């Protein structure tokens, strides 16, 4: 069975050498020198490696059980959740006014990667709670914040979000769940929600559901949707769980993966709910939670690839098959290890270059969130909005591909459950679907985010790349060829694609929509290329100054060269597909399929 080793050294490199954690770049960063960060990540690594990872297979094999209206989680989950809670990990970046530790979101993101790699299904219970905290913190009344936030921050209570119904997923205007006003200011919530992750469990004393519903008489479509706090147990006067609310778990879904997380059908039969934010403004409030969740799902995509890749490397070093092309690497044995073969190296380098690039890209996105909130910086917020669908969509698409590539290294053994590899593939697959399918992310990117603020965020991205590349061009021919020119070329492809879309947006929108997924992937490659240049520059400077581990830094440069040479040129393919337009996509009549 695979084991998990938290990549603390790589995280410290990205956090401190690339993103300047420990400086005054963002308020709160100056308190986190390398030793402090290493101590926090070291403790998180112990929990991930020693407690959460060993439960990953248990969760997959046992799953959750609905027992007399109560969901029971797999063996060991409750004790592990108690440890998570006792360590204060859910509160890491939460508001100190409500019991949080107030640390940067960037550091919490690094910890979240460890927990997600170790046990994705388990980590979802606290991850969704964090999103509920953020929504209540941003939109709740003072009374609501005082009641719910301290309990959610500690994870004494956990949170969910309830959007989807049997007849509507992406198109929430078709929602039927009703919220009838009551004389005391509360609402009666009636309807059914499906695909509710962590909808019920035995890990906490209460579950706080954030439920989208329509107040009768409101506007049509999504303009008439409101958001409500609907707790499983209604809090009593002392803030303790009181009477059971009129809601129940109709069934547990049988899923392809993430078996350790309870995916519930939730039935609301006149349950008492409390308006969160303004009436008919529920989508705005829910998107506070959704945007955070989408960053978290992007992280899940590469986190599963990371743990699967660790297993693939270990297997490739141990498994003896065939001989190296030139001379035997293991002359005393009957065969050489798999890792000597160029095609196995290709698979492993694809994984390594993606995972390390995705980690840096996601951490940069988390830093932009810190800048937007702590400085505050509207330009950073614009970049966050632009990059969120890219982080979610590109990292989960490519993360799944990398997880499958890791399974491929095992050959036939990778198809056998005892290897542990099928679970990584099955768990990674959901990340491409939930919190808005990746097709929806692509549509959001090209139809809303690309032209937002008159195109200011995409221009800001181009400007950052130009300011990094332009001063270095022409100073070192090898550096130009290996890093600078590939990124310039890929960025030119992204510019050309954006111009193609702007030229066709009004007159032929189908031309834009047909190329939306290609644009998302093109943007993702440019994002990883940008971060690989930043990492390579940091590694080169550290080597020149005699700082750090030379072996680690040399490997970082070699991996960056691989991404620039073997992955970044895919931008040209995506641009060609975008420019082919909608005709090849829409040529067949619907009846011809």
């Amino acid at each position: 069975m695979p084991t998990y080793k938290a990549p603390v050294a790589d995280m410290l490199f990205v956090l401190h050498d690339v993103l300047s954690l420990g400086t005054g770049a963002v308020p709160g960063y100056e308190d986190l020198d390398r030793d402090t960060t290493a101590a926090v990540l070291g403790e998180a690594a112990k929990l991930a490696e020693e407690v959460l990872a060993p439960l990953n297979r248990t969760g997959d094999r046992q799953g959750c059980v609905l027992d007399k209206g109560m969901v029971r989680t797999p063996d060991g989950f409750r004790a592990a959740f108690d440890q998570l809670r006792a360590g204060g990990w859910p509160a890491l970046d939460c508001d100190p006014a409500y019991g949080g530790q107030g640390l940067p979101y960037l550091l919490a993101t690094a910890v979240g990667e460890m927990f997600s790699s170790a046990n994705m299904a388990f980590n979802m219970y606290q991850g969704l709670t964090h999103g509920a905290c953020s929504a209540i913190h941003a939109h709740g009344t003072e009374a609501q914040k005082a009641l719910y936030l301290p309990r959610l921050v500690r994870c004494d209570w956990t949170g969910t979000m309830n959007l989807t119904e049997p007849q509507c997923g992406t198109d929430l205007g078709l929602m039927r769940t009703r919220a009838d006003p009551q004389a005391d200011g509360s609402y009666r919530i009636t309807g059914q929600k499906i695909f509710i992750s962590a909808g019920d469990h035995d890990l906490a004393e209460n579950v706080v559901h954030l439920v989208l519903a329509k107040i009768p008489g409101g506007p049509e479509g999504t303009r008439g949707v409101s958001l409500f706090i609907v707790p499983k147990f209604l809090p009593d006067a002392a803030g303790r769980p009181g009477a059971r609310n009129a809601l129940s778990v109709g069934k547990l879904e049988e899923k392809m993966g993430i078996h350790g997380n309870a995916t519930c059908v939730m039935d609301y039969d006149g349950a008492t709910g409390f308006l969160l934010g303004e009436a008919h403004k529920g989508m705005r409030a829910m998107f506070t939670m959704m945007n955070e969740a989408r960053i978290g799902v992007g992280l899940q995509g590469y986190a599963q690839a990371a743990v699967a890749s660790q297993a693939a490397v270990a297997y490739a070093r141990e498994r003896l098959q065939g001989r190296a092309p030139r001379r035997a690497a293991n002359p005393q044995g009957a065969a050489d290890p798999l890792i000597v073969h160029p095609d196995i190296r290709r698979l492993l380098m694809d994984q390594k270059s993606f995972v390390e690039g995705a980690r840096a890209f996601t951490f940069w996105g988390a830093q932009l969130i810190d800048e937007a909130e702590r400085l505050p910086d509207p330009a950073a917020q614009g970049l966050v909005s632009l990059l969120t669908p890219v982080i979610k969509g590109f990292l989960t698409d490519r993360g799944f591909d990398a997880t499958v590539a890791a399974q491929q290294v095992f050959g036939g053994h990778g198809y056998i459950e005892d290897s542990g590899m099928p679970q990584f593939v099955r768990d990674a697959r959901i990340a491409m679907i939930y919190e808005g399918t990746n097709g929806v992310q692509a549509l959001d990117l090209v139809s809303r985010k690309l032209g937002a603020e008159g195109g200011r965020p995409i221009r800001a991205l181009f400007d950052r790349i130009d300011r990094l590349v332009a001063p270095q061009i022409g100073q070192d021919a090898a550096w130009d060829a290996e890093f600078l020119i590939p990124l310039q070329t890929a960025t030119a492809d992204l510019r050309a694609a954006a111009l193609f879309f702007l030229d066709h947006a009004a007159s032929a929108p189908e031309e834009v929509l047909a190329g939306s997924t290609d644009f998302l992937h093109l943007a993702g490659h440019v994002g990883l290329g940008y971060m690989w240049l930043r990492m390579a520059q940091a590694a080169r400077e550290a080597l020149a100054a005699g700082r750090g581990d030379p072996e680690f830094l040399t490997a970082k440069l070699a991996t960056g060269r691989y991404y620039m040479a073997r992955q970044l040129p895919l931008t040209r393919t995506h641009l060609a597909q975008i420019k082919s337009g909608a005709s090849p996509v829409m040529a067949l009549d619907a009846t011809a399929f």
Side-chain angles (χ1 to χ4, degrees), residues 193-277:
K193 298 288 184 177
I194 63 171
F195 306 155
I196 309 307
S197 299
D200 194 70
H201 53 80
D202 55 4
L203 305 179
E205 61 186 15
N206 204 358
V207 181
V208 179
H209 301 282
L210 298 190
V211 182
L212 286 177
K214 289 185 174 181
I215 301 171
E220 293 296 319
T222 56
R223 293 180 299 115
V225 172
S226 302
L227 184 61
F228 300 88
I229 300 173
V230 189
K232 176 180 177 179
F233 295 102
L234 294 167
D236 63 19
R240 295 186 296 264
R244 175 68 185 253
N245 210 346
L247 59 90
S248 60
V249 179
K251 64 175 287 193
L252 287 181
E253 300 289 3
E254 295 186 24
K255 311 183 297 292
M256 177 178 174
I258 56 168
H259 296 149
N261 195 272
T263 303
C264 302
V265 174
M266 299 299 303
D267 294 321
Y268 295 91
D269 301 307
T272 299
F274 307 94
L275 184 66
L276 178 60

Side-chain angles (χ1 to χ4, degrees), residues 380-430:
Q381 183 57 58
L383 271 174
V384 169
S385 182
L386 174 74
L387 295 177
T388 292
V390 181
I391 289 172
K392 195 282 181 184
F394 181 71
L395 298 192
T396 58
D397 275 349
R398 295 302 298 243
F400 179 74
D401 291 344
T403 306
V404 171
Q407 183 188 38
Q408 186 73 16
V409 171
F410 281 71
H413 291 284
Y415 200 67
I416 304 302
E417 288 288 345
D418 283 347
S419 73
M421 301 308 288
Q423 182 186 353
F424 296 138
V425 173
R426 288 185 283 103
D427 286 357
R429 186 64 183 87
I430 185 57

